[in-house]
Amino acid sequence: MDLRQAVAITAVVIAPFASAQEADNWKGETELGVLITSGNTEETNIKGRLGLIHEVETWRNTGEFRTNYSETDDETTAEKYLAALETDYKFAENQYWFLRGSYEDDRFSGYDFESSVTTGYGNRVWTSGERSFLDLSVGGGYRYNKLETVNAQGEDAEEEAIARLAGQFDYALSENSLFRQKLSTEIGLDENNTVTESETSLQANVVGNLSMKAAFRVKHLSDPPAGSENTDTETSLSLIYGF
C-alpha cells in the first residue's frame, strides 16, 4: 500500500473519534430506498445511508456512509459504496478548523477506489433557529485514486495535491420539513482534474421519527478515466428514521 494512501485511510478512520469524549451527544439517521419491478423488465434498486453527528461545545464530528445498488434482468448496473468522515474544532462561535477524509468504491467509475484527505477553515456564516444555517469552508489536501487499468502514461493511480471548496445550506421550511443543498469541489493542483458534487434534497416528516426524502445528486469529473462518463446523476425517493 502506498504511504500516502495509508495516511489518507488512517485519517478517514480516526477523524470522527478525535474528540468524541461525550458519547451521549450522538445523533443520527438511517435512510433506505427500494424499488423492485417485474414483468417485461425485472429491475431492483436499493439505496442505503447512515448519517451520524456528535457535537459538543468545541467539537463537531460527522460521518456519512452510503451504498447504491441496481440490477436489471439479473445484470448489475450500479454498485457504489462511500464513507466520508469529518471532525471540526470550533475555535470561535461560528468558526472552525476541519479535518475530512473520504473513500469511494464505484464499480462502474473506471476507478478501483477514490480517496482524499483535506483540512482547512470553515465558517457558519448564517444561522436561524436550530435547523437553518449556511456553512462555507475552504482548505487543501491530497487525493489518491486507484485506476482499474493503466492510463496513457502507464500509471495505475492518480495522486495529487488538491484544493477543496464546500458549502451546506439547510433551511427549515416548517417544523416538519427541511430543504438542504450541499455543494463541493476538489480541484487538482497538478493535473487540474476537478471533482464537483451537488446534492439537493427535500425532507418531510411523516410520523414520529420517520420522514420521507426526495433527492437529486450530481457528480462531475473534468477528466474521468478512459471509457467513463464525465457526469453521474442520481434521483431518489427514500424513507429516513432519525435517532
Side-chain angles (χ1 to χ4, degrees):
M1 177 181 293
D2 186 273
L3 176 60
R4 294 168 180 171
Q5 177 187 354
V7 171
I9 294 174
T10 301
V12 169
V13 173
I14 68 172
F17 307 107
S19 64
Q21 300 172 354
E22 301 181 36
D24 57 343
N25 288 286
W26 285 98
K27 295 181 180 179
E29 59 184 24
T30 58
E31 179 178 343
L32 180 64
V34 178
L35 174 63
I36 300 175
T37 63
S38 62
N40 293 322
T41 301
E42 295 186 359
E43 185 172 0
T44 300
N45 296 288
I46 301 174
K47 174 186 176 182
R49 173 180 168 271
L50 171 64
L52 298 171
I53 182 169
H54 169 270
E55 187 162 9
V56 291
E57 183 177 357
T58 56
W59 292 93
R60 176 173 54 242
N61 302 303
T62 56
E64 184 174 29
F65 308 88
R66 298 199 313 263
T67 181
N68 187 8
Y69 177 83
S70 296
E71 180 181 284
T72 302
D73 293 331
D74 296 324
E75 181 179 349
T76 301
T77 55
E79 187 175 358
K80 181 186 301 184
Y81 308 94
L82 178 140
L85 306 175
E86 180 174 322
T87 186
D88 303 331
Y89 172 65
K90 297 181 282 185
F91 60 86
E93 182 178 0
N94 295 314
Q95 302 178 73
Y96 58 92
W97 194 264
F98 74 87
L99 172 64
R100 181 182 187 274
S102 68
Y103 178 92
E104 181 174 345
D105 182 354
D106 184 347
R107 179 176 168 184
F108 297 92
S109 66
Y111 293 106
D112 275 344
F113 64 82
E114 303 168 68
S115 64
S116 68
V117 58
T118 51
T119 186
Y121 168 79
N123 194 321
R124 182 155 290 186
V125 297
W126 173 79
T127 59
S128 178
E130 296 182 355
R131 300 168 61 216
S132 300
F133 63 85
L134 173 61
D135 274 358
L136 299 176
S137 63
V138 58
Y142 191 79
R143 171 194 296 152
Y144 184 92
N145 297 340
K146 185 65 180 295
L147 294 162
E148 287 185 348
T149 59
V150 296
N151 58 23
Q153 291 74 40
E155 301 167 335
D156 66 352
E158 297 175 351
E159 46 185 325
E160 61 182 329
I162 58 174
R164 176 179 171 84
L165 303 172
Q168 178 173 331
F169 175 62
D170 280 20
Y171 185 74
L173 300 172
S174 69
E175 292 184 1
N176 298 316
S177 59
L178 178 71
F179 171 82
R180 173 171 293 165
Q181 175 65 55
K182 292 182 178 181
L183 181 64
S184 67
T185 184
E186 294 183 347
I187 305 165
L189 301 181
D190 297 327
E191 301 297 332
N192 297 317
N193 190 11
T194 300
V195 180
T196 302
E197 296 187 69
S198 170
E199 182 183 37
T200 306
S201 65
L202 182 62
Q203 182 174 325
N205 180 258
V206 177
V207 60
N209 293 335
L210 190 65
S211 302
M212 180 170 288
K213 175 183 174 182
F216 179 69
R217 177 183 295 274
V218 180
K219 180 178 180 180
H220 176 81
L221 280 69
S222 63
D223 187 18
S228 299
E229 297 291 334
N230 291 77
T231 304
D232 286 333
T233 64
E234 176 187 320
T235 303
S236 63
L237 184 64
S238 54
L239 290 176
I240 294 178
Y241 179 78
F243 57 90

